[in-house]
Amino acid sequence: MSPDTLSSEITSETIEALLNRRSIRKYADTPVTDDHVNAILGAALRAPTSSNVQAYSVVVVRDPAIKEEIAVPCGNQQHIVSCPVFLAFLADLTRIEAAFQRHGHTADNNNLEMGLVATIDAALVGMSAYVAAESLGIQGVMIGAVRNDPEKIAEILGLPNRVYAVFGMCLGFPDQAPKQKPRMPVSGIVHHDRYDADASLAVLDPYNAQLRAHYEAIGKETTADSWSDEVDAKLSAKARDGLRAALKARGFDFS
Amino acid sequence: MSPDTLSSEITSETIEALLNRRSIRKYADTPVTDDHVNAILGAALRAPTSSNVQAYSVVVVRDPAIKEEIAVPCGNQQHIVSCPVFLAFLADLTRIEAAFQRHGHTADNNNLEMGLVATIDAALVGMSAYVAAESLGIQGVMIGAVRNDPEKIAEILGLPNRVYAVFGMCLGFPDQAPKQKPRMPVSGIVHHDRYDADASLAVLDPYNAQLRAHYEAIGKETTADSWSDEVDAKLSAKARDGLRAALKARGFDFS
């Protein structure tokens, strides 16, 4: 076992697909059929769900006009327009709320746990859909930018109160083969029995160098401390700082 | 396409594994080797990550004493003790904080978006690990109960500030073959182009009947409105209502 990656003699179709995974933003003309989508979602909807609450829904978007509308608040990512199928994975408390109402209870002032349960439930379905798609040669990219403007996305997709889009996903047959971006050395990510805080932070400098080398190899401009600089630039000024208020307006209290 | 499930002529090893998935809480003596765990986590750590932040870590727990300690705040779930390997999937802002500090910035008062990014990142790795394991015949169950007492779990696993356990996972070769629990009819879960609020709520009564029939078939006590009653009993009184304060103490503000 090298300190950078986990190697193993053991493998499978699923494991190979994950090991070779990369985000795909350019799609071939090959259609993604309803049969493909049914296979993908039929499998994905068997993902584990917390205490069987099934606090998720999915919107399958094929309408070009709706994909164009979605792209706008998502920083105009053109692959949202060009992908054959866009999936929106939703945290959905509507059915839970209906269950509460049958007992004279309310979902008002729902708490952080309920928000996380629905968010994680949706993420598990989304990740399952992604690997199911990969197994059919259908690839794509997850779109966290649906959280840029939850109200606008809700308006476009007709989402009722107590539903928000956790992330989207562009899917299609790939028309590009980008070089895989290196991940942090596993020595900082995978711990045994107890967390090793020194090991966690020790990967920063080696990873900055690895990521810089990757960006240089693909001709992308970068800085000396590639990852640290990027993360600071993206997140230290509180990215999507209006999300709490926006999700409160969607009926998620996170309190 | 029936209104209840999505059927498709198209399939794959990955899709079949997901379609047949069920939570496994009893494990055979067959060992789960380090080679297995490396294969599983090597693949899982290629899951998508928001803007390459990689805001996750994993603790692989094999030490029986530590598994016993973890089981206690998790409602004494005995499969945590009996499973050959327990994985804790962590939302981890430590490396992001270190990147901020290099630029004179702070991760204090991190916001809801940053908390969700780390939570979702960890969930994507966890779900990927689960399907990778399934592809090797290794099955198990996700443990959301690590969120019952985040401080206690942090103490047991030695987690530093800005790290919390999103969920755990018991893994092993199965020694049981439980009947698969029905999921809600897809007519209420999968929407096309726009969300259909009526369709979403229309599945409640049919699903209550389906779930009741399932419980009756396996000899488990249930009520007339099986799902609605269960969800109301579990969640309407604000399950894990201390989570917000507990995660704030762990360095996650969710503000």
Side-chain angles (χ1 to χ4, degrees):
Chain A
M1 179 174 124
S2 96
D4 275 18
T5 53
L6 292 166
S7 62
S8 178
E9 295 297 308
I10 300 172
T11 193
S12 70
E13 174 194 288
T14 308
I15 286 172
E16 290 303 310
L18 279 164
L19 287 174
N20 294 313
R21 195 204 67 76
R22 61 213 72 195
S23 294
I24 295 296
R25 296 175 176 85
K26 288 185 181 166
Y27 311 100
D29 290 335
T30 322
V32 175
T33 65
D34 288 343
D35 219 21
H36 285 126
V37 173
N38 287 350
I40 291 166
L41 291 181
L45 292 172
R46 291 299 326 180
T49 165
S50 176
S51 297
N52 197 32
V53 295
Q54 305 175 59
Y56 48 68
S57 292
V58 184
V59 184
V60 181
V61 183
R62 286 188 181 272
D63 184 325
I66 297 181
K67 286 191 293 154
E68 278 186 28
E69 281 187 78
I70 293 169
V72 178
C74 296
N76 286 304
Q77 296 184 51
Q78 282 309 299
H79 34 280
I80 298 173
V81 179
S82 64
C83 67
V85 183
F86 180 85
L87 304 176
F89 293 93
L90 313 173
D92 190 333
L93 302 178
T94 58
R95 290 174 294 266
I96 292 173
E97 181 171 42
F100 287 3
Q101 287 167 344
R102 289 178 180 209
H103 291 267
H105 296 137
T106 172
D108 292 347
N109 308 313
N110 55 81
N111 61 12
L112 178 63
E113 169 66 7
M114 205 183 295
L116 290 187
V117 158
T119 300
I120 295 167
D121 257 25
L124 300 182
V125 171
M127 186 67 225
S128 298
Y130 194 97
V131 293
E134 285 260 348
S135 77
L136 304 177
I138 295 168
Q139 298 179 287
V141 58
M142 290 191 181
I143 307 291
V146 294
R147 297 194 304 276
N148 284 349
D149 188 345
E151 276 299 341
K152 186 71 196 166
I153 295 292
E155 184 192 316
I156 296 166
L157 295 177
L159 308 184
N161 192 38
R162 310 239 191 261
V163 182
Y164 89 93
V166 177
F167 54 77
M169 190 182 296
C170 302
L171 286 180
F173 285 92
D175 191 32
Q176 64 176 167
K179 203 169 142 60
Q180 203 177 38
K181 200 183 285 181
R183 287 291 168 88
M184 288 187 186
V186 294
S187 57
I189 306 295
V190 177
H191 304 262
H192 293 276
D193 288 324
R194 281 178 65 87
Y195 189 100
D196 181 340
D198 293 336
S200 169
L201 295 179
V203 299
L204 274 194
D205 284 323
Y207 184 60
N208 278 332
Q210 280 171 30
L211 189 62
R212 187 176 67 235
H214 166 77
Y215 283 145
E216 285 168 357
I218 64 168
K220 187 177 163 178
E221 215 173 304
T222 186
T223 55
D225 286 339
S226 192
W227 185 83
S228 300
D229 294 344
E230 216 175 71
V231 161
D232 179 72
K234 269 184 195 145
L235 296 179
S236 67
K238 292 196 162 194
R240 295 185 188 131
D241 206 29
L243 190 67
R244 179 81 194 267
L247 293 189
K248 198 168 169 64
R250 301 256 78 244
F252 285 81
D253 201 37
F254 289 102
S255 65
Chain B
M1 181 173 124
S2 95
D4 276 17
T5 54
L6 292 167
S7 62
S8 177
E9 295 297 307
I10 299 173
T11 194
S12 69
E13 174 195 288
T14 307
I15 286 172
E16 289 302 312
L18 279 164
L19 288 174
N20 294 314
R21 195 203 68 75
R22 60 213 73 194
S23 294
I24 295 296
R25 297 176 176 84
K26 288 185 181 165
Y27 310 101
D29 291 335
T30 321
V32 174
T33 65
D34 288 341
D35 219 22
H36 284 126
V37 173
N38 287 350
I40 291 165
L41 290 181
L45 292 171
R46 291 299 327 180
T49 165
S50 176
S51 298
N52 197 32
V53 296
Q54 302 175 61
Y56 48 68
S57 293
V58 184
V59 185
V60 180
V61 182
R62 286 188 181 274
D63 184 325
I66 297 181
K67 286 191 293 155
E68 278 187 28
E69 282 187 77
I70 294 168
V72 178
C74 296
N76 286 304
Q77 295 184 51
Q78 282 308 298
H79 34 280
I80 299 173
V81 179
S82 64
C83 68
V85 183
F86 180 85
L87 304 176
F89 293 92
L90 313 173
D92 189 333
L93 302 178
T94 58
R95 291 173 294 266
I96 292 173
E97 181 171 43
F100 286 3
Q101 286 167 344
R102 289 178 181 209
H103 291 267
H105 296 139
T106 171
D108 291 348
N109 307 314
N110 55 80
N111 60 13
L112 177 63
E113 168 66 8
M114 206 183 294
L116 290 187
V117 158
T119 301
I120 295 167
D121 257 25
L124 300 183
V125 171
M127 187 66 227
S128 298
Y130 194 96
V131 292
E134 284 261 349
S135 76
L136 304 177
I138 295 167
Q139 297 179 288
V141 59
M142 290 191 182
I143 307 291
V146 294
R147 298 194 304 276
N148 284 348
D149 188 345
E151 276 300 341
K152 188 69 196 168
I153 295 293
E155 184 192 315
I156 296 166
L157 295 176
L159 308 185
N161 192 39
R162 310 241 191 261
V163 182
Y164 90 93
V166 177
F167 54 77
M169 190 182 296
C170 302
L171 287 179
F173 285 93
D175 191 32
Q176 63 176 166
K179 202 169 143 60
Q180 203 177 39
K181 200 183 287 181
R183 286 292 167 87
M184 288 188 185
V186 295
S187 57
I189 307 294
V190 177
H191 305 262
H192 293 276
D193 288 323
R194 282 177 65 86
Y195 189 100
D196 181 340
D198 293 336
S200 169
L201 296 179
V203 299
L204 275 194
D205 283 324
Y207 185 60
N208 279 332
Q210 280 172 29
L211 189 63
R212 186 177 68 236
H214 165 78
Y215 284 145
E216 284 168 358
I218 63 169
K220 187 177 162 177
E221 213 173 305
T222 187
T223 56
D225 287 338
S226 193
W227 185 83
S228 301
D229 293 344
E230 215 174 73
V231 160
D232 179 72
K234 269 184 195 148
L235 296 178
S236 67
K238 292 199 163 194
R240 296 184 188 132
D241 207 29
L243 190 66
R244 179 81 195 268
L247 293 189
K248 198 167 168 61
R250 301 258 77 243
F252 285 80
D253 201 37
F254 288 102
S255 67

